[in-house]
């Protein structure tokens, strides 16, 4: 069995000409790489030591399997394995984390929706942990997730490259230019959403996305459009529903006076000063 190789490519002479922030970013990149490789090695060791008979069939297991593929045409390099892990971690963690934070903020302000959501969660799950049957019944929670994705979607723009000259309506786009489709602008366009566009109104989505957007696919696409559409969409919404249900079962949330509203797009849409809310346990002694 191949033991995970080192991908590091450091050279002490780098320190003579590289600026400090570049050296620091390289150090961090190496640390992330080492961290992923340690996790991979742990998986490999379990098989080598006879504690497991396969690398597993979760996402990491599939990648480690591909890394050990006997056919070198199908084999994944360690560099690609690490890159896949980084992509899924960043694409999956930052986005869902941000979405949950914005939902908690909005529910702390709109206590009527918080109450409706909690009622639904208790009706569906009682005080039990969420299960997959119940997850598909969460209508109010789904509406809240969509409306939060519209107002504070984690990704604000969609980068695209124009491969060949194309006409879009009156606009002629030449080949080989880079475009940023301003998703947030469309999600906040009063012509598409009405004059109350800036208000949190989950009821817009009461009859689903198609009705809310008047059957216009370009009015709402928090997970992108086309063949590069987000592969993690179902996972992300399920994860959000589970986490939110568990929070609502246990806590009521109110906005802290310390909160200062300042969403800033730093890769994903982030609250510049954090989100200060007050959680109060719904169960005595919990
Ligand atoms: C609220 C959560 C999320 C949002 C809003 C979101 C949004 C997006 C968007 C807008 C894209 C680009 C799509 C395009 O170019 O058309 C994308 C791509 C991607 N997302 Fe997500 N995402 C979320 C969660 C996740 C999760 C949980 C995962 C993985 C577990 C994930 C994995 C990916 C990957 C791998 C891509 C690249 C797909 C490709 O280029 O083929 N995302 N996501």
């Amino acid at each position: 069995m191949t033991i995970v190789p080192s991908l590091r490519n450091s050279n002490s002479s780098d320190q003579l000409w590289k600026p400090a922030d570049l050296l620091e970013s390289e150090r961090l990149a190496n640390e992330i790489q080492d961290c992923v490789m340690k996790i991979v090695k742990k998986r490999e060791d379990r098989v080598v030591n006879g504690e497991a008979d396969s690398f597993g069939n979760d996402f990491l297991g599939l990648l480690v399997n591909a890394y050990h593929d006997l056919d070198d045409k199908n084999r994944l390099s360690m560099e690609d394995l690490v890159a896949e892990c980084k992509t899924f971690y960043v694409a999956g963690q930052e986005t869902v984390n941000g979405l949950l934070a914005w939902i908690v903020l909005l529910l702390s302000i709109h206590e009527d929706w918080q109450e409706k959501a909690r009622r639904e969660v208790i009706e569906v799950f009682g005080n039990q942990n969420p299960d997959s049957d119940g997850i598909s019944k969460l209508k109010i929670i789904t509406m809240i997730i969509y409306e939060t994705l519209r107002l504070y979607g984690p990704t604000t723009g969609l980068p695209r490259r124009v491969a060949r000259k194309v006409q879009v309506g009156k606009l002629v786009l030449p080949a080989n230019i880079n475009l940023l489709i301003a998703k947030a602008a469309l999600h906040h366009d009063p012509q598409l959403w009405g004059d109350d566009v800036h208000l949190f109104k989950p009821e817009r989505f009461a009859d689903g996305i198609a009705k809310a957007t008047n059957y216009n696919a370009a009015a709402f696409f928090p997970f992108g459009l086309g063949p590069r559409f987000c592969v993690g969409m179902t996972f992300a919404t399920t994860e959000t529903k589970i986490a939110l249900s568990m929070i609502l079962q246990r806590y009521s949330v109110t906005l802290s006076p310390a909160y200062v509203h300042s969403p800033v797009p730093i890769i994903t849409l982030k609250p510049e000063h954090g989100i200060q809310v007050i959680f109060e346990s719904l169960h005595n002694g919990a």
Side-chain angles (χ1 to χ4, degrees):
M1 171 156 311
T2 333
I3 296 302
V4 286
S6 169
L7 295 176
R8 288 201 173 182
N9 197 5
S10 65
N11 182 341
S12 55
S13 68
D14 286 353
Q15 307 208 346
L16 296 176
W17 63 273
K18 286 187 181 173
D21 54 355
L22 182 57
L23 287 169
E24 172 68 359
S25 80
E26 285 181 354
R27 188 187 65 74
L28 291 171
N30 281 334
E31 248 178 52
I32 294 171
Q33 205 159 273
D34 284 353
C35 174
V36 174
M37 285 166 67
K38 267 191 204 140
I39 296 170
V40 171
K41 175 129 188 358
K42 240 185 183 170
R43 271 297 160 103
E44 292 181 326
D45 284 352
R46 282 172 55 79
V47 174
V48 173
N49 301 337
E51 293 161 35
D53 51 14
S54 78
F55 298 123
N57 57 4
D58 61 355
F59 182 61
L60 180 63
L62 298 179
L63 290 175
V64 179
N65 264 315
Y67 171 61
H68 286 281
D69 201 305
L70 295 176
D71 180 349
D72 53 359
K73 279 196 236 94
N74 292 338
R75 196 176 308 138
L76 196 68
S77 67
M78 178 49 69
E79 204 163 2
D80 284 347
L81 190 159
V82 171
E84 287 294 328
C85 290
K86 287 201 294 198
T87 301
F88 270 78
Y89 181 76
V90 175
Q93 202 268 349
E94 280 272 299
T95 46
V96 176
N97 183 350
L99 173 61
L100 249 183
W102 291 117
I103 293 177
V104 166
L105 171 75
L106 287 165
L107 293 186
S108 76
I109 298 168
H110 301 273
E111 292 186 30
D112 50 340
W113 280 101
Q114 183 183 152
E115 211 28 66
K116 277 185 207 172
R118 180 172 299 104
R119 223 174 298 136
E120 177 177 71
V121 168
I122 302 295
E123 257 168 40
V124 175
F125 302 121
N127 283 325
Q128 301 300 309
N129 281 343
D131 56 39
S132 55
D133 254 12
I135 294 286
S136 58
K137 294 184 187 139
L138 297 176
K139 190 173 172 215
I140 301 281
I141 297 274
T142 305
M143 288 156 56
I144 289 170
I145 291 177
Y146 288 160
E147 182 66 341
T148 309
L149 282 169
R150 185 185 72 79
L151 284 171
Y152 299 104
T155 56
T156 52
L158 217 52
R160 287 290 186 266
R161 185 160 175 81
V162 180
R164 56 176 192 283
K165 184 176 164 185
V166 64
Q167 181 151 6
V168 185
K170 289 182 187 157
L171 209 61
V172 178
L173 304 172
N176 302 321
I177 59 165
N178 294 326
L179 284 181
L180 186 71
I181 302 167
K183 202 150 53 86
L186 289 160
H187 288 181
H188 290 80
D189 185 344
Q191 285 184 21
L192 295 169
W193 295 95
D195 290 340
D196 59 358
V197 64
H198 297 302
L199 302 183
F200 175 71
K201 293 179 87 176
E203 63 265 38
R204 294 177 211 278
F205 290 98
D207 296 315
I209 293 175
K211 274 266 177 68
T213 55
N214 214 1
Y215 300 91
N216 178 354
F220 183 68
F221 49 101
F223 294 97
L225 276 177
R228 303 308 294 256
F229 183 83
C230 174
V231 288
M233 183 185 80
T234 309
F235 181 75
T237 42
T238 306
E239 205 182 358
T240 306
K241 286 177 189 178
I242 294 173
L244 189 59
S245 298
M246 294 178 81
I247 292 171
L248 290 169
Q249 282 172 324
R250 290 163 176 77
Y251 301 100
S252 71
V253 196
T254 45
L255 187 66
S256 159
Y259 177 70
V260 177
H261 193 58
S262 177
V264 283
I266 309 173
I267 307 181
T268 56
L269 191 71
K270 295 201 169 62
E272 187 180 3
H273 310 292
I275 288 181
Q276 291 77 28
V277 287
I278 301 160
F279 282 90
E280 263 180 86
S281 172
L282 294 168
H283 308 289
N284 283 342

